[in-house]
Amino acid sequence: MKVQEKINYHRIAEAIGYIRQNFKQQPNLDEVAEKVHLSPFHFQKMFTEWAGTTPKKFLQYTSLEYAKRLLKEQQATLFETAYETGLSGTSRLHDLFVNIEGMTPAEYKNGGKDLLINYSFAESPFGNLIIASTPKGVCHIAFEEDETTALDNLIRKFPNASFHRRLDLMQQNALFVFQNDWSKLPEIKLHLKGTEFQLKVWEALLKIPMGKLSTYGEIAKYIETPKASRAVGTAIGSNPVAFLIPCHRVIQSTGDLGGYMWGVTRKTAIIGWEGGKCESFAL
């Protein structure tokens, strides 16, 4: 990002953190703008450009009451209605366009021996990220501001693979999800290192439509292991592909957002951003 864009991003992130911590008081525009040292006018303009919706609407999308209402409305029919809710590429983005292929037992156990992995760094509305791919598909996406740390974490996952810094077509296709025009989104292939159970959980996450939320227990029921909520939570926490596999759409049954590998503020931002996008597409 450019210097000013980074400043703006961190201001918005600070605003999101403040909204999340104080949503019960429903802070108004002037109050949040003051916290990030901007005039209400400039804050409203900057926030709307970034999130695609106003701070007031964003507060609604990320409040506990809104999360609870979403869960109550969806109940047990979330996955059954995933195919019926808005048949556009927007709400069915992940289900239609993302396909998972698990790595072979040999690839899984030997640390990626004989795997050729391309990697590159990119910008997103939620901060810098690293993205990596094998010849079969994207194998890793993580939000990370520091490139050295990001690469070290990737190498730890595949210690015996060969790495090349190169932006390939698979990575480019995956990064299209951050564009506003998803009508041109190509098929995205993922090549993931995970157990059979983890792959099943990650595939279930793809069924959650954009702008919707689910719970750990609901996903456990969907994959026919209703008593495995804790194991489901562990699998979600080990999701190797940020954003594309939407683990950010899973919250606690109480409506609380819960944790997130890449930070709860970022999770809050993504949920609000997706809610704003769904609203704008519906207009």
Side-chain angles (χ1 to χ4, degrees), residues 140-141 157 190 192 198 202 205 233-248 260-262:
H140 180 81
I141 299 178
K157 290 178 179 293
L190 305 182
L192 303 185
Q198 287 174 323
W202 298 338
L205 298 181
T234 301
I236 291 173
S238 61
N239 170 25
V241 179
F243 192 80
L244 268 179
I245 296 180
C247 57
H248 56 272
Y260 188 56
M261 185 189 308
W262 298 284

Side-chain angles (χ1 to χ4, degrees), residues 14-250:
E14 183 180 351
I16 289 168
Y18 182 80
I19 289 171
R20 178 175 174 272
Q21 293 170 12
N22 297 277
F23 68 86
K24 291 182 180 179
Q25 285 73 46
Q26 297 290 293
N28 60 31
L29 177 66
D30 291 358
E31 182 179 345
V32 182
E34 183 181 357
K35 291 296 179 181
V36 294
H37 310 293
L38 290 172
S39 70
F41 174 80
H42 284 100
F43 174 64
Q44 172 104 343
K45 184 174 184 293
M46 182 187 298
F47 195 100
T48 303
E49 288 175 351
W50 181 86
T53 190
T54 65
K56 183 177 180 179
K57 282 289 187 181
F58 190 94
L59 173 61
Q60 175 192 0
Y61 292 134
T62 56
S63 70
L64 183 61
E65 289 77 11
Y66 176 74
K68 285 181 176 178
R69 187 164 69 250
L70 270 179
L71 294 176
K72 184 177 179 180
E73 291 171 355
Q74 293 163 189
Q75 296 181 348
T77 62
L78 171 64
F79 294 103
E80 297 171 3
T81 58
Y83 291 96
E84 301 172 9
T85 55
L87 297 180
S88 67
T90 302
S91 62
R92 295 185 59 194
L93 172 67
H94 295 88
D95 178 50
L96 285 175
F97 292 101
V98 182
N99 292 300
I100 293 177
E101 177 180 342
M103 292 189 176
T104 65
E107 291 169 333
Y108 180 88
K109 292 179 180 179
N110 64 15
K113 184 180 179 182
D114 299 325
L115 271 182
L116 175 62
I117 296 180
N118 292 333
Y119 71 92
S120 61
F121 301 98
E123 300 170 357
S124 82
F126 316 108
N128 295 338
L129 56 81
I130 184 173
I131 180 169
S133 56
T134 74
K136 292 183 179 179
V138 172
C139 63
H140 180 81
I141 299 178
F143 293 108
E144 181 59 68
E145 295 302 315
D146 183 75
E147 293 186 359
T148 300
T149 301
L151 181 57
D152 287 345
N153 290 338
L154 173 62
I155 293 173
R156 266 196 295 272
K157 290 178 179 293
F158 302 97
N160 298 320
S162 298
F163 294 91
H164 298 279
R165 182 167 182 170
R166 180 181 301 142
L167 176 64
D168 58 31
L169 184 59
M170 289 187 182
Q171 296 170 25
Q172 289 177 329
N173 288 345
L175 292 172
F176 271 130
V177 297
F178 296 112
Q179 304 283 330
N180 288 330
D181 184 7
W182 289 339
S183 63
K184 299 177 182 178
L185 189 73
E187 182 183 56
I188 300 168
K189 295 182 179 180
L190 305 182
H191 188 208
L192 303 185
K193 176 182 178 181
T195 65
E196 182 178 350
F197 181 80
Q198 287 174 323
L199 292 171
K200 188 179 293 186
V201 171
W202 298 338
E203 287 173 344
L205 298 181
L206 298 177
K207 303 293 183 183
I208 307 173
M210 184 179 179
K212 302 292 184 180
L213 301 174
S214 186
T215 66
Y216 301 100
E218 202 171 29
I219 291 172
K221 290 178 183 177
Y222 177 74
I223 63 173
E224 299 180 346
T225 56
K227 297 182 179 180
S229 294
R230 187 179 297 273
V232 164
T234 301
I236 291 173
S238 61
N239 170 25
V241 179
F243 192 80
L244 268 179
I245 296 180
C247 57
H248 56 272
R249 296 178 191 163
V250 183

